[in-house]
């Protein structure tokens, strides 16, 4: 997997394809190996991390029926956490684009997924005033009020 850091797109594609191919015969082993590699290389550049995450996504999608329920749940949670981290890192440079995409996941009357909220919070913390100004304008419109549920008007809190 160290070859994912190669700048040649053909090498990166070969790594992706190899992980997917191996994932067809040993999905749990590949998913666990990818997970362990990402944990051991927490400073891995995000473009290279994305190659491994995409391979993991493909292996899960293609082998979901074969996976042990506990493995699938653990891998999906790890994948979601890694994807959230990637968005926060990209948000360091492109806060408006990332925030706009995250805010599309807030729909009136529907409680957002845990990782959407976590990504939203981490973006806000890591970008301070840039994120806060963005939120005051857009979030109250997206969140709205729901019948019988206690929605926080995050625009007021900020």
């Amino acid at each position: 997997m160290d070859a994912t850091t190669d700048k040649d797109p053909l090498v990166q594609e070969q790594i992706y394809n190899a992980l997917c191919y191996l994932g067809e015969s040993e999905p749990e082993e590949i998913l666990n190996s990818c997970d362990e590699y990402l944990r051991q290389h927490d400073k891995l550049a995000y473009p290279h991390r994305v190659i491994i995450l995409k391979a993991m996504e493909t292996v899960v999608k293609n082998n979901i029926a074969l996976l042990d329920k506990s493995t699938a749940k653990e891998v999906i949670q790890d994948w979601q956490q890694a994807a959230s981290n990637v968005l926060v890192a990209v948000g360091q440079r492109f806060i408006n684009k990332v925030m706009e995409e995250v805010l599309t996941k807030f729909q009136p009357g529907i409680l957002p997924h845990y990782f959407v909220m976590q990504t939203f919070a981490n973006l806000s913390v890591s970008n301070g005033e840039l994120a806060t100004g963005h939120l005051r304008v857009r979030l109250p419109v997206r969140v709205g009020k729901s019948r019988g549920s206690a929605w926080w008007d995050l625009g007021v809190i900020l």
Side-chain angles (χ1 to χ4, degrees):
M1 281 189 255
D2 286 332
T4 59
T5 59
D6 194 303
K7 295 191 186 308
D8 184 353
L10 292 175
V11 173
Q12 293 175 352
E13 184 178 346
Q14 287 174 339
I15 295 299
Y16 168 81
N17 290 335
L19 289 171
C20 292
Y21 178 77
L22 292 170
E24 291 299 316
S25 59
E26 294 292 334
E28 289 189 31
E29 183 68 30
I30 288 298
L31 292 171
N32 289 329
S33 296
C34 289
D35 178 52
E36 185 66 27
Y37 182 84
L38 291 173
R39 288 178 194 274
Q40 290 175 357
H41 297 87
D42 59 339
K43 302 288 187 211
L44 186 65
Y46 286 98
H48 307 298
R49 183 177 296 273
V50 168
I51 295 167
I52 296 171
L53 290 171
K54 284 184 179 180
M56 290 175 75
E57 175 188 16
T58 301
V59 170
V60 169
K61 282 182 179 178
N62 292 345
N63 298 287
I64 195 74
L66 303 175
L67 294 175
D68 179 342
K69 191 174 188 176
S70 64
T71 301
K73 183 178 180 180
E74 182 179 312
V75 167
I76 288 170
Q77 183 175 359
D78 289 343
W79 176 83
Q80 290 171 333
Q81 180 64 59
S84 174
N85 293 343
V86 169
L87 286 172
V88 171
V90 171
Q92 294 288 320
R93 174 99 164 93
F94 304 104
I95 183 62
N96 290 334
K97 284 239 184 242
V98 174
M99 192 61 84
E100 191 64 40
E101 186 61 34
V102 170
L103 287 173
T104 65
K105 304 302 179 191
F106 286 88
Q107 300 298 321
I110 300 172
L111 186 62
H113 188 276
Y114 169 81
F115 280 102
V116 171
M117 291 298 293
Q118 183 183 46
T119 303
F120 175 75
N122 290 339
L123 278 167
S124 298
V125 168
S126 69
N127 288 287
E129 290 185 26
L130 289 173
T132 305
H134 199 70
L135 299 177
R136 283 193 180 132
V137 174
R138 292 179 179 87
L139 189 61
V141 173
R142 298 240 189 238
V143 174
K145 301 284 183 205
S146 175
R147 278 185 284 146
S149 66
W151 277 97
W152 293 357
D153 188 355
L154 294 176
V156 172
I157 294 171
L158 297 172

